[in-house]
Amino acid sequence: MTDIHAELVSGRFTANPPASREEIARVQNELTFPLPKSYVNFLMAANGGEGFIGNAYVILWKVDELIHKNISYNVAEFAPGTFLFGSNGGGEAFGFDTRSEAGSIVSIPFITMEEKDAIPLALDFEAFLSRMLSR
């Protein structure tokens, strides 16, 4: 078991039950880009969740919430090329840079929700979890 997976099951992060392949496929069919493999693997182990990973508070949305939340936050209008998947529970959203083939991860402030304010965090979802663990 990796440090990340040990942390996720330690009780400080409450993971939801796994998403089904059908749930993931339904969302994927509505998107114009592929969900990153490392993220899909996470969803098949835990359909989002909430709590601490290391010292970082993280809310990871359920797969069936993704499209609705991105529409609600007007992400396509204000930060085209970004697809949100969660937040820090405060003013910072986490999302994929959909122009990156690997699905690199960025943080972006909810208050401005502008692409120019996106800060690169990790090259993929597994690296994102590792970064949260080391915060």
Side-chain angles (χ1 to χ4, degrees), residues 9-55:
V9 299
S10 72
R12 293 184 43 160
F13 181 86
T14 303
N16 297 322
S20 69
R21 290 186 187 276
E22 294 77 20
E23 289 174 297
I24 296 167
R26 252 192 317 275
V27 170
Q28 182 62 77
N29 287 336
E30 293 188 46
L31 301 176
T32 59
F33 63 93
L35 289 169
K37 183 177 174 143
S38 60
Y39 180 64
V40 170
N41 290 340
F42 171 79
L43 290 172
M44 291 183 2
N47 188 6
E50 183 172 348
F52 285 94
I53 301 174
N55 291 321

Side-chain angles (χ1 to χ4, degrees), residues 82 84-85 93-97 104-108 118-122 128:
T82 305
L84 304 182
F85 61 82
F94 303 124
F96 298 109
D97 179 346
S104 61
I105 311 294
V106 297
S107 68
I108 189 165
I119 299 167
L121 290 180
F128 164 76

Side-chain angles (χ1 to χ4, degrees), residues 61-78:
W61 301 331
K62 292 180 178 181
V63 69
D64 62 351
E65 298 173 331
L66 294 172
I67 292 172
H68 172 73
K69 289 204 183 255
N70 277 269
I71 291 169
S72 296
Y73 288 117
N74 295 311
V75 178
E77 179 182 349
F78 297 114

